[in-house]
Amino acid sequence: MMRLPPLAIGGLAGLVLALLLAPATGAALGRLAEARAERARLALLADAPAAVAPPLVAPASAIEAPDAMAARRQLARRIRAAAGQGGLLVEELSLARAPVGLVAVKLRLSGPEKSVLALADALERGSPLVRLRGWALAPLPEGGIRLEGEAVAAWR
């Protein structure tokens, strides 16, 4: 009787095992293909241009600007001008993150209490519409108060 070499026995055992596992691996590969197709579909959706959202505020209440950076500059100019009229010190006026359709400027102003409150009131009541977010008032040792926060406005 002829004896099979160990390599042939291993090869035959592997072939039998592969035949037994073929249905399970075929199903797994099918699910993998479906998952890849779904991922590709979702990637296309994510890259698609966003639908036009309705405006956040009435057109007259938004900053009219060609882009978000220009809108931020307009908002910063408005704050700086109002602070100058009230005799306030502008300690910081820098860009802040904001969702799409909004612009934000981080601000820190100080001066007499009456002037700081008048500026905050003028910003929130004026046009274009500006809201203060995350703001805080703190007394200053030499007198007066400091306003810190972010001014947020819609732009179009």
Side-chain angles (χ1 to χ4, degrees):
M1 174 167 189
M2 187 168 101
R3 204 160 172 221
L4 290 174
L7 185 59
I9 294 172
L12 287 173
L15 185 59
V16 170
L17 185 61
L19 289 173
L20 291 173
L21 293 176
T25 56
L29 290 174
R31 286 193 306 271
L32 177 62
E34 290 171 7
R36 285 182 174 160
E38 179 67 9
R39 180 178 177 266
R41 185 185 71 79
L42 292 174
L44 283 176
L45 283 176
D47 290 340
V52 177
L56 297 173
V57 296
S61 297
I63 295 174
E64 185 82 30
D67 59 28
M69 188 55 77
R72 283 186 186 102
R73 283 193 297 267
Q74 284 185 29
L75 178 59
R77 277 194 301 269
R78 179 173 169 210
I79 293 169
R80 197 174 296 282
Q85 289 175 347
L88 300 175
L89 174 63
V90 178
E91 297 174 15
E92 178 184 1
L93 207 52
S94 59
L95 301 180
R97 298 192 63 133
V100 174
L102 296 175
V103 291
V105 174
K106 185 176 181 183
L107 57 90
R108 185 170 55 235
L109 311 165
S110 60
E113 180 177 357
K114 188 175 182 177
S115 297
V116 171
L117 295 178
L119 172 89
D121 182 58
L123 285 176
E124 292 225 344
R125 289 181 190 250
S127 181
L129 184 66
V130 176
R131 291 292 179 247
L132 295 177
R133 136 177 110 177
W135 60 274
L137 294 172
L140 297 173
E142 62 274 0
I145 61 172
R146 174 178 290 132
L147 169 66
E148 281 189 72
E150 291 182 1
V152 181
W155 72 280
R156 61 180 185 100

